[in-house]
Amino acid sequence: MLIGMLAGWLVGALLGFGLLLYALSSLTWTTAFREAGSSLFTLGFASGARWKLSVLDFVAAATGPVLIALQIAYLPTLYAAYNRREVEVTLLQARAGEPSWGPEILARQWLVDTETALPELYRAWERLASDMGESHSTYPVLLTFRSPRPYRSWLVGLVAVMDAAALQLALDPKSAPPEARLVLRAGFSALRDIARAMRAPFEEDPAPSAPIRLTYAEFDAAVAMLDSTGFRAERTPEEAWPHFRGWRVNYEAVAYELCRRCDAVPSLWTGPRDFPTTPIPPRRPVDRRPDDPPEGV
């Protein structure tokens, strides 16, 4: 995509200077574009003794190297933003599995007694969401830079962290850290900034009681899975559902649309794609202990 962008700029400059040379002289079409290409790429093989066209030749000769230099300078900025994003996505893999899923984040923390690490996770993704909202809306080409592993995705990871925060706030609001609210706000603000850059429509201020596409049955099954890991909720699923829906309505529609457009890995709770697919649940490692008998015994 970056190579195509550079080629598009250079072809556009070639057409522009070729048309100007043709309009301001008696050159033929082929000669005008030949001279434009010669000047644009600073080859100089088609120069002439026409002083009135020298200004255009000089401008064209400067345009080619400037465009290429800008593209070269553009790459480190893009890679730095990509690297910051992928570091956090890789770190999330141990907490959320591959592909990431919000309930799995909470389940794994309670399974291994690391729930006190959730505030740090929310803080890291609050900062990352703000970073991605700025960088990915300024440089939309970053949306096409995929993770090196097929089951990892920055977009699926962000939705998973937001779902985990929304679940914790809905099910157990007294013990939920304040960072959960902050990461939700930063997350859906970032998604909306990116949606504006992609010209994707969304509701600016949805009502908390507005319907969402995630069903109560899916929510109830996730809560049951959390109960089996030791997570003890203050509210029942029926009591928590309106609160969870009130949080998720802020980001579900725009997240589903971005996941569809970016062709993200079809994780749970991330909506449909343009191709027929089945949502992929996260893969949880086997809980092995030193006193387990060897396989086959």
Side-chain angles (χ1 to χ4, degrees):
M1 195 165 185
L2 289 173
I3 293 172
M5 185 185 299
L6 177 60
W9 287 345
L10 292 175
V11 169
L14 176 63
L15 290 173
F17 285 115
L19 292 172
L20 285 171
L21 288 170
Y22 176 78
L24 297 177
S25 69
S26 58
L27 298 177
T28 63
W29 285 104
T30 56
T31 305
F33 282 103
R34 184 169 180 268
E35 183 165 336
S38 170
S39 301
L40 184 65
F41 298 102
T42 65
L43 300 175
F45 62 80
S47 60
R50 298 170 299 279
W51 285 102
K52 63 179 181 179
L53 300 181
S54 295
V55 174
L56 283 176
D57 289 335
F58 281 128
V59 174
T63 301
V66 167
L67 286 177
I68 296 173
L70 285 174
Q71 186 79 342
I72 293 173
Y74 193 48
L75 290 175
T77 302
L78 292 178
Y79 181 74
Y82 172 78
N83 186 65
R84 290 193 303 270
R85 186 189 81 187
E86 292 305 311
V87 166
E88 294 297 334
V89 172
T90 303
L91 289 173
L92 185 65
Q93 181 269 336
R95 300 172 184 248
E98 289 186 357
S100 302
W101 183 40
E104 183 71 8
I105 294 178
L106 299 180
R108 291 197 181 198
Q109 307 320 301
W110 263 262
L111 278 170
V112 295
D113 299 323
T114 56
E115 61 271 14
T116 54
L118 282 172
E120 180 184 353
L121 174 70
Y122 294 150
R123 281 194 296 269
W125 277 83
E126 178 195 1
R127 181 172 296 275
L128 180 63
S130 300
D131 186 351
M132 291 191 299
E134 188 279 328
S135 60
H136 288 53
S137 58
T138 305
Y139 308 114
V141 70
L142 282 169
L143 298 170
T144 64
F145 285 18
R146 304 178 71 88
S147 296
R149 296 285 295 271
Y151 280 7
R152 292 180 190 170
S153 167
W154 66 271
L155 187 51
V156 169
L158 178 58
V159 174
V161 172
M162 294 171 71
D163 281 338
L167 271 170
Q168 194 171 8
L169 286 167
L171 290 167
D172 202 4
K174 289 184 179 179
S175 65
E179 288 85 356
R181 292 178 179 270
L182 298 176
V183 74
L184 279 166
R185 180 67 187 183
F188 69 70
S189 296
L191 290 177
R192 291 176 182 182
D193 288 341
I194 296 171
R196 290 188 189 97
M198 297 182 68
R199 295 181 175 86
F202 62 90
E203 179 64 38
E204 289 280 356
D205 188 19
S209 58
I212 61 175
R213 298 176 67 176
L214 186 74
T215 65
Y216 174 76
E218 293 174 295
F219 173 79
D220 187 50
V223 174
M225 183 271 291
L226 284 176
D227 287 341
S228 67
T229 64
F231 182 91
R232 292 295 174 261
E234 176 188 345
R235 292 173 175 152
T236 65
E238 293 81 4
E239 295 170 338
W241 171 247
H243 298 275
F244 177 76
R245 185 180 62 189
W247 284 112
R248 202 170 204 265
V249 74
N250 290 292
Y251 60 90
E252 185 191 73
V254 65
Y256 280 16
E257 178 63 16
L258 292 178
C259 285
R260 184 190 67 81
R261 293 195 183 194
C262 295
D263 196 20
V265 56
S267 177
L268 297 172
W269 293 16
T270 58
R273 302 294 185 268
D274 286 335
F275 55 91
T277 185
T278 302
I280 304 172
R283 296 175 291 181
R284 186 179 297 175
V286 179
D287 184 14
R288 299 184 185 276
R289 300 179 184 274
D291 54 351
D292 288 342
E295 294 184 4
V297 177

